[in-house]
Amino acid sequence: MAATADTVERVKKISAETYKYGFETDIEMDRIPKGLNEDIVRMISAKKNEPEWLLEWRLEAYRRWTQMEEPDWAKVSFPKIDYNDYYYYAAPKSVADKPKSLDEVDPKLLETYKRLGIPLDEQERLAGVAVDAVFDSVSVATTFKHKLEEVSVIFMPISEAVEKHPELVRKYLGTVVPTTDNYFAALNSAVFTDGSFVYVPKGVRCPMELSTYFRINAQETGQFERTLIVCDDDAYVSYLEGCTAPMRDENQLHAAVVELVAMDNSEIKYSTVQNWYPGDENGKGGIYNFVTKRAQCRGVNSKVSWTQVETGSAVTWKYPSCVLQGDGSQGEFYSIAITNNLQQADTGTKMIHVGKNTRSRIISKGISAGRSDQTYRGLVKMLPKAEGARNFTQCDSLLIGDRCGAHTVPYIEAANPSAAVEHEATTSKVSDDQLFYCRQRGMDEEKALALIVNGFVKEVLQELPMEFAVEAQALVEISLEGSVG
Amino acid sequence: MLSIQNLHAQIEDDQKMILKGLNLEINPGEVHAIMGPNGAGKSTLGNVLAGKDGYEVTEGSVFFKGEDLLSLEVEERAHAGLFLAFQYPVEIPGVQMLNFLRTCTNETRIARGLPELNGMEFLKLARAKAAELKINPDMLKRSVNSGFSGGEKKRAEILQMALLEPQFAILDETDSGLDIDALRIVSEGVNALRDAKRSFLVITHYQRLLDHIKPDHVHVLADGQIVRSGGPELALELEERGYVHYEKAA
């Protein structure tokens, strides 16, 4: 049997057992009834003790959502989603009592995060990383809060920010991704439950990595988190999100919205390690990941980098984007997307150049294995005033086996004659010859494939914060485990 | 060291028989050259010995240091001390040569029960070996074989051989694509590795490589069999008369 044929055989054998985050936490949940209507939206808002303006904002989004159509242009297919068949709010009962410190947090929750490799208790915390842990619809703990307060950095669950910093939330919420931006953004705006809020004041360089860890646990529950990060003039922040979910036979829905605002000379580095349950080898179960992420570089010389390592989810629909308004602002998108078995991913980025001398850089690395299908979809748009704007795009696809697919769909619109857009794309295959070569030099097949794949994604892994680069590299290898000897 | 008896091998896909009863004995320290016309099965022999997929051995046996070579996986053969210098070394984009070499070396060391070399130790070793082979150390920073010239690729093969210290090395048309200077440097590298315990099987179409790497024995492979064996003088005779005679015989 030829080596890649063998590889394909083994890819097929990857079963859900290799997904080590697939356990379920047995915990008493507080849920509102299944289904979606105005009353549900009101109930969510009431659960969160929200002010009137936010309820109105949600209801408006809901009404618009009911008039919208689910987008169908992505190269993914899945059975029609019955939005009335989900729970839109599920929270551990113990959180309803609002634990004031970690000592009061339900040990079961702490244990859950510990198993996920995210220790929340004082002694074992990740050094230099503040974590906000979101469990289904609520944030259960945020570490290093006080240390951050010392430098006036606000890092807290968005529901808490609505209470404590309403003026800030109101000023920025929905200004980057309007409620009616798209179907899933409208849905999120209507029913979002938790997520993180970050505000870095003028001139402050956030002294530690901020991180949110999302966990979907409850059955038939959607997670709709909303993250808002604002970096004021001359400020800097690096933020990372991680995601996992238990193995379940039914598909779970995740529709997040992330908004980033970068003011003059500020920089936001946003990294994602997405490892939602991808479904089993027959495509049963897994997360539907429909996410809208957008950054506005409003200030001059501001900079936003999106770095993502996407290995999970059954279906992914996600295009982290940058609107480069400020003159001299920069947008970057570094992506590794891995699909295996029957996973489908339609992902990419949008770089909208508005201001003069704006620059963007896109490095996308897609790896398809098994019978998976992956599309890079990207838009680079140079508006008439984007004098001297520059873009460089590189899209590389790597195929493992001969039953997977990789597609590249770049859209380029240039309305300024001085703007320069460069696009490079390659598609390659892990060849039998490469594997044979490595094995002849003493590596077993698994080691050989890991080496080849790591070489392929290296450029992007380097962009991750050091604390997570090693974890991400391991994740890349785990995701392809079984696709090799 | 290596004992090939009545080896029959065919291509898996179309069941075309390539090796038709090949016999060969190689003792420690010997250098054997296999010459022959195109399509005689020279490269197939190298591939079958290294364990490449796509070939099926239908008859015969191969023993390497007394062990049944054909029952071993590709990497196990490498660990046992078999090395194949490729005619066309494959490119692996993005994988740094140094990292590749270190992974190869350490995997082999682990299999042989030796301690792994750490980054610094290995870098020192790799630089020293590269210098011996007149390889610019910058090559270690480049991606495996990517954008290498013909000469660089072959030198990189010899560097790998020097690092892995095999007991039996097959050089598959190592001279192809080399100019005279590159040929000399590569040959010097091979000669430096010759010793009483290490054997070589030099596969080549042309005699000129054998001016640089002096064989102890020369064999003519035609139509899947060794049809004639002799000393170094046989190579010269082939150079003069060509393979026409053997092609007819086949």
Side-chain angles (χ1 to χ4, degrees), chain A residues 437-443, chain B residues 75 77-86 100-110 112 114 117 122 125 129 156-169 193 198:
Chain A
Y437 189 73
C438 293
R439 291 179 71 197
Q440 209 300 305
R441 297 300 185 249
M443 293 176 221
Chain B
E75 58 272 25
R77 298 181 197 200
H79 298 157
L82 183 145
F83 183 90
L84 172 63
F86 286 78
F100 175 80
L101 294 173
R102 188 174 157 215
T103 308
C104 298
T105 305
N106 277 336
E107 289 296 300
T108 303
R109 287 180 68 93
I110 292 166
R112 291 178 188 165
L114 298 167
L117 298 177
F122 183 75
L125 177 69
K129 297 277 185 191
E157 292 292 290
I158 305 306
L159 174 61
Q160 290 170 43
M161 183 160 83
L163 285 165
L164 295 173
E165 302 182 326
Q167 282 175 285
F168 173 61
L193 291 168
R198 187 171 285 140

Side-chain angles (χ1 to χ4, degrees), chain A residues 200 204-206 229-239 260-270 297 300-306 330 332 334 463:
Chain A
V200 188
V204 172
R205 201 180 157 83
C206 186
I229 299 176
V230 180
C231 218
D232 218 324
D233 297 350
D234 306 299
Y236 166 86
V237 68
S238 171
Y239 175 92
L260 310 184
V261 178
M263 307 306 282
D264 288 354
N265 305 305
S266 67
E267 182 177 351
I268 302 176
K269 213 174 142 56
Y270 191 105
C297 288
V300 295
N301 301 322
S302 55
K303 182 175 174 185
V304 168
S305 307
W306 296 104
Q330 289 179 55
E332 292 177 337
Y334 299 100
E463 296 297 325

Side-chain angles (χ1 to χ4, degrees), chain A residues 1-4 431 433-434 436-445 447 451-456 458, chain B residues 50 52-53 73-75 78-79 82-84 86 90-92 94-95 100 103-104 107-108 145 157 160:
Chain A
M1 196 189 297
T4 44
S431 69
D433 285 344
Q434 284 172 330
F436 176 58
Y437 189 73
C438 293
R439 291 179 71 197
Q440 209 300 305
R441 297 300 185 249
M443 293 176 221
D444 62 28
E445 224 178 23
K447 196 97 191 168
L451 185 88
I452 294 167
V453 168
N454 271 321
F456 180 73
K458 193 175 61 186
Chain B
K52 187 174 181 175
D53 278 319
E73 292 290 332
V74 178
E75 58 272 25
H79 298 157
L82 183 145
F83 183 90
L84 172 63
F86 286 78
V90 66
E91 299 187 0
I92 311 179
V95 176
F100 175 80
T103 308
C104 298
E107 289 296 300
T108 303
N145 296 322
E157 292 292 290
Q160 290 170 43

Side-chain angles (χ1 to χ4, degrees), chain B:
Chain B
M1 167 85 61
L2 186 79
S3 171
I4 305 174
Q5 275 152 15
N6 194 31
L7 185 64
H8 287 69
Q10 63 184 18
I11 293 174
E12 230 168 40
D13 286 347
D14 58 7
Q15 306 205 329
K16 188 178 172 215
M17 197 61 83
I18 306 289
L19 300 180
K20 303 170 182 173
L22 188 140
N23 294 290
L24 185 64
E25 294 287 332
I26 298 178
N27 296 310
E30 289 179 352
V31 175
H32 289 242
I34 294 250
M35 301 182 71
N38 291 325
K42 301 193 297 289
S43 288
T44 296
L45 175 61
N47 288 335
V48 168
L49 292 178
K52 187 174 181 175
D53 278 319
Y55 299 94
E56 191 185 344
V57 173
T58 56
E59 221 183 315
S61 64
V62 180
F63 283 88
F64 180 51
K65 299 191 294 183
E67 205 175 348
D68 179 7
L69 184 74
L70 301 176
S71 69
L72 301 179
E73 292 290 332
V74 178
E75 58 272 25
E76 290 169 339
R77 298 181 197 200
H79 298 157
L82 183 145
F83 183 90
L84 172 63
F86 286 78
Q87 182 177 4
Y88 303 110
V90 66
E91 299 187 0
I92 311 179
V95 176
Q96 199 191 40
M97 199 71 197
L98 188 69
N99 183 22
F100 175 80
L101 294 173
R102 188 174 157 215
T103 308
C104 298
T105 305
N106 277 336
E107 289 296 300
T108 303
R109 287 180 68 93
I110 292 166
R112 291 178 188 165
L114 298 167
E116 286 184 70
L117 298 177
N118 68 32
M120 276 318 290
E121 290 167 340
F122 183 75
L123 183 64
K124 243 168 124 178
L125 177 69
R127 283 204 177 131
K129 297 277 185 191
E132 281 171 26
L133 292 167
K134 299 190 173 63
I135 289 173
N136 182 341
D138 284 348
M139 186 205 260
L140 299 173
K141 294 182 199 155
R142 293 162 64 188
S143 292
V144 178
N145 296 322
S146 294
F148 284 22
S149 70
E152 284 174 328
K153 280 185 182 169
K154 297 299 166 74
R155 260 180 281 171
E157 292 292 290
I158 305 306
L159 174 61
Q160 290 170 43
M161 183 160 83
L163 285 165
L164 295 173
E165 302 182 326
Q167 282 175 285
F168 173 61
I170 305 161
L171 309 182
D172 187 6
E173 308 252 1
T174 292
D175 51 332
S176 70
L178 293 190
D179 61 30
I180 270 301
D181 292 328
L183 183 65
R184 199 177 58 241
I185 292 170
V186 166
S187 304
E188 279 169 8
V190 172
N191 287 330
L193 291 168
R194 283 179 77 159
D195 71 27
K197 286 184 193 152
R198 187 171 285 140
S199 313
F200 290 86
L201 182 63
V202 182
I203 295 171
T204 183
H205 189 77
Y206 300 104
Q207 192 269 336
R208 65 169 192 166
L209 177 65
L210 305 180
D211 287 340
H212 299 275
I213 304 172
K214 296 264 187 278
D216 301 304
H217 304 274
V218 175
H219 310 277
V220 180
L221 179 65
D223 194 29
Q225 286 184 323
I226 287 177
V227 292
R228 204 174 152 200
S229 297
E233 72 289 343
L234 179 55
L236 294 169
E237 184 193 316
L238 289 168
E239 183 76 0
E240 251 166 58
R241 297 178 50 188
Y243 296 111
V244 182
H245 172 65
Y246 299 103
E247 276 166 348
K248 272 183 191 155

Side-chain angles (χ1 to χ4, degrees), chain A residues 309 311 336 338 453-454 457 461 472-480:
Chain A
V309 178
T311 62
I336 298 169
I338 299 178
V453 168
N454 271 321
V457 301
L461 280 184
Q473 181 169 348
L475 184 61
V476 166
E477 284 170 24
I478 290 165
S479 303
L480 293 167

